[in-house]
Amino acid sequence: MTAQGTVLDDIIAGVREDLAPRRARVDDAAIARLAAAAPPALDARAALVGDGTTLGLIAEVKRSSPSKGHLSGIPDPAALAATYAASGASAISVLTEQRRFSGTLADLDAVRARVDVPVLRKDFIVEEYQVLEARAHGADLVLLIVAALDDECLAHLHDLVVSLGMQALVETHTAEEIDRALALPAPLIGVNARDLRTLDVDLHRAAGLLARIPADRVAIAESAVASVDDVRAYAAAGADAVLVGEALVTGEDPAAAVAAFRAVARRGRVAPTNGDPR
């Protein structure tokens, strides 16, 4: 479980509080029925791998963050997502956490209705209900954060994701968390440059951890991308794809940025060494 008193703890406490009124409106049985009735999920892994020559890109609809505060109003998340998709984004990430990221499930609904690429529900998933909710609202991909879950809960939620036809992006930040993620049959492993306990960011450290991910998994670098040079640094470290939000929503030309990021060549991963960062 998470350490006491971290930023991540505070976020999760708010997530649990905000879940209660949604659950009161749509109970567990009803959300399960809605999830079962949703159209089949798209294959996010295939979309991210593509033809294997260039990096995959998950482009994010993100209004705010705990570290930077307000980033962009995004009055029309569907239009922004459509711009991303038209510019070559492999998948779209939609923040649905409301307190720190100003996201909503309505954003997810709008994006899902507009684009035909896979959609990630990006939130702090700690209960079954949220996974069912993601499928009911059309998500193809669900974020599971290793730091937020013990092994039993992580495995249980991952199994539920798979049973609903979705895939999980299993997010890590340390070597130990990567090892925990690799104990699952999850095809998508993320390495977040941001420590969610403190909000500190270190691209170099995250890049060094990518080599720990086997070649049969898709390694996704998250956070710390401000320019195409940062994307190239992740590619050189062995990333198969990158997840980018802030640089896109605060930039002047998100379409051009998406195209530039997607053009970065994939380099493959080297074998890990004894000096892997931890």
Side-chain angles (χ1 to χ4, degrees):
M1 302 298 287
T2 57
Q4 185 65 30
T6 67
V7 174
L8 181 59
D9 281 323
D10 292 342
I11 293 173
I12 290 174
V15 164
R16 290 188 185 278
E17 288 180 14
D18 294 337
L19 175 58
R22 299 201 306 274
R23 206 170 204 161
R25 290 192 298 270
V26 182
D27 66 20
D28 290 57
I31 201 69
R33 288 194 297 271
L34 291 170
L42 302 176
D43 187 344
R45 183 187 188 282
L48 289 167
V49 170
D51 64 7
T53 62
T54 61
L55 287 191
L57 173 67
I58 304 175
E60 192 158 84
V61 176
K62 181 179 186 179
R63 291 191 178 91
S64 304
S65 76
S67 60
K68 298 290 184 67
H70 176 78
L71 298 172
S72 176
I74 312 182
D76 190 343
L80 178 59
T83 295
Y84 289 160
S87 304
S90 312
I92 309 297
S93 170
V94 182
L95 262 303
T96 59
E97 195 279 334
Q98 63 189 65
R99 297 193 182 199
R100 304 293 187 100
F101 294 90
S102 305
T104 68
L105 285 164
D107 293 342
L108 182 60
D109 291 335
V111 170
R112 173 71 289 161
R114 187 72 173 270
V115 303
D116 58 6
V117 298
V119 176
L120 165 68
R121 181 190 182 181
K122 192 175 182 189
D123 209 318
F124 297 79
I125 305 295
V126 291
E127 294 195 21
E128 285 186 6
Y129 187 94
Q130 295 167 283
V131 176
L132 293 164
E133 200 175 41
R135 184 81 281 268
H137 287 267
D140 309 291
L141 190 57
V142 175
L143 185 72
L144 296 179
I145 302 171
V146 173
L149 303 163
D150 61 30
D151 286 342
E152 181 180 3
C153 190
L154 178 62
H156 177 69
L157 292 177
H158 179 266
D159 287 348
L160 178 58
V161 169
V162 173
S163 74
L164 293 168
M166 297 184 291
Q167 294 168 341
L169 169 53
V170 183
E171 179 180 295
T172 68
H173 177 69
T174 66
E176 178 186 9
E177 289 177 5
I178 290 175
D179 291 342
R180 291 177 59 201
L182 292 176
L184 302 170
L188 308 176
I189 308 295
V191 177
N192 195 344
R194 188 179 305 281
D195 184 345
L196 294 176
R197 298 175 179 87
T198 64
L199 302 184
D200 294 335
V201 177
D202 188 337
L203 184 152
H204 177 74
R205 183 178 181 283
L209 287 166
L210 290 168
R212 298 186 67 89
I213 301 175
D216 64 345
R217 311 288 184 106
V218 179
I220 301 173
E222 305 175 44
S223 299
V225 171
S227 69
V228 71
D229 288 337
D230 296 328
V231 177
R232 292 191 184 107
Y234 276 137
D240 298 307
V242 292
L243 189 157
V244 184
E246 182 180 332
L248 298 178
V249 301
T250 61
E252 294 182 358
D253 191 343
V258 167
F261 295 166
R262 279 286 283 127
V264 174
R266 191 173 303 178
R267 304 276 291 275
R269 283 188 288 288
V270 300
T273 68
N274 292 334
D276 283 340
R278 287 184 178 269

